[in-house]
Amino acid sequence: MIWHFCHVMSGARLGTNCSVGQNCFVAGGAVLGDRVRLQNNVSVFDGVELGDDVFCGPSVVFTNVRRPRAGHSGFRERTHVMRGATLGANATIRCGVTLGEYCFVGAGCVVTADVAPYAEVAGVPGKQVGWVSRCAERLVFDSSGSARCPLNGDGYQLAAGTVFWLEAGSVRSD
């Protein structure tokens, strides 16, 4: 679904069942996975790759050149947003970073470094403020590093600074 006043350039790759809100721009070198949702006023430039089920809130900003100048195009850096990530309204994502699976970037956050899977980041510059489930619910880990999603009961394990989603008591390998 592509709404009013959008520009999707030749060469852009959009997966199945994407929704591109009004006034969006998708460059020819951009990639959108399946079921990606771009809310209004989002521009996805060359070198930005959004995995399946990524949500970009209104006016999310991506960059693709760290030190741009009008006189030359500069070196384009790739940005990867992994499956299931949520980017809140007006978040700014500096080029060259990777946002991990199911991470949650708060509204207005300025992301200047990689974000771990399931991490919640907020502020300027973005700092990790917690962990979230696949349902975007805050996870509270006990002393053994275990947590359950308060919405659906899915289990998670925190080990060596990395969160793993558990299925039937074992780490899922997807």
Side-chain angles (χ1 to χ4, degrees):
M1 193 179 287
I2 299 177
W3 292 93
H4 301 314
F5 314 114
C6 291
H7 294 277
V8 178
M9 304 305 289
S10 176
R13 294 189 356 224
L14 279 70
T16 60
N17 299 317
C18 289
S19 177
V20 180
Q22 74 177 18
N23 200 40
C24 288
F25 172 79
V26 182
V31 177
L32 278 62
D34 296 337
R35 298 169 304 281
V36 168
R37 292 188 57 186
L38 302 181
Q39 298 300 93
N40 298 344
N41 306 307
V42 176
S43 293
V44 183
F45 298 112
D46 290 334
V48 176
E49 185 171 337
L50 307 179
D52 296 343
D53 303 306
V54 168
F55 176 89
C56 293
S59 302
V60 165
V61 175
F62 291 98
T63 63
N64 66 354
V65 178
R66 193 172 305 211
R67 298 190 181 279
R69 291 284 194 203
H72 63 86
S73 61
F75 173 71
R76 290 195 173 138
E77 295 185 52
R78 300 194 65 73
T79 299
H80 298 278
V81 182
M82 307 308 282
R83 174 180 43 177
T86 293
L87 311 180
N90 295 302
T92 299
I93 313 302
R94 192 194 72 198
C95 58
V97 299
T98 297
L99 281 63
E101 287 187 334
Y102 300 98
C103 71
F104 195 97
V105 176
C109 182
V110 177
V111 176
T112 60
D114 291 350
V115 176
Y118 301 100
E120 180 179 12
V121 296
V124 178
K127 301 285 185 202
Q128 185 170 344
V129 296
W131 300 101
V132 295
S133 71
R134 289 180 173 214
C135 299
E137 295 291 325
R138 181 64 66 96
L139 292 173
V140 178
F141 290 92
D142 63 21
S143 60
S144 70
S146 296
R148 292 232 169 254
C149 173
L151 189 63
N152 68 8
D154 281 359
Y156 294 84
Q157 186 68 42
L158 175 62
T162 302
V163 171
F164 299 94
W165 176 52
L166 304 177
E167 181 179 42
S170 62
V171 173
R172 184 173 172 162
S173 62
D174 66 350

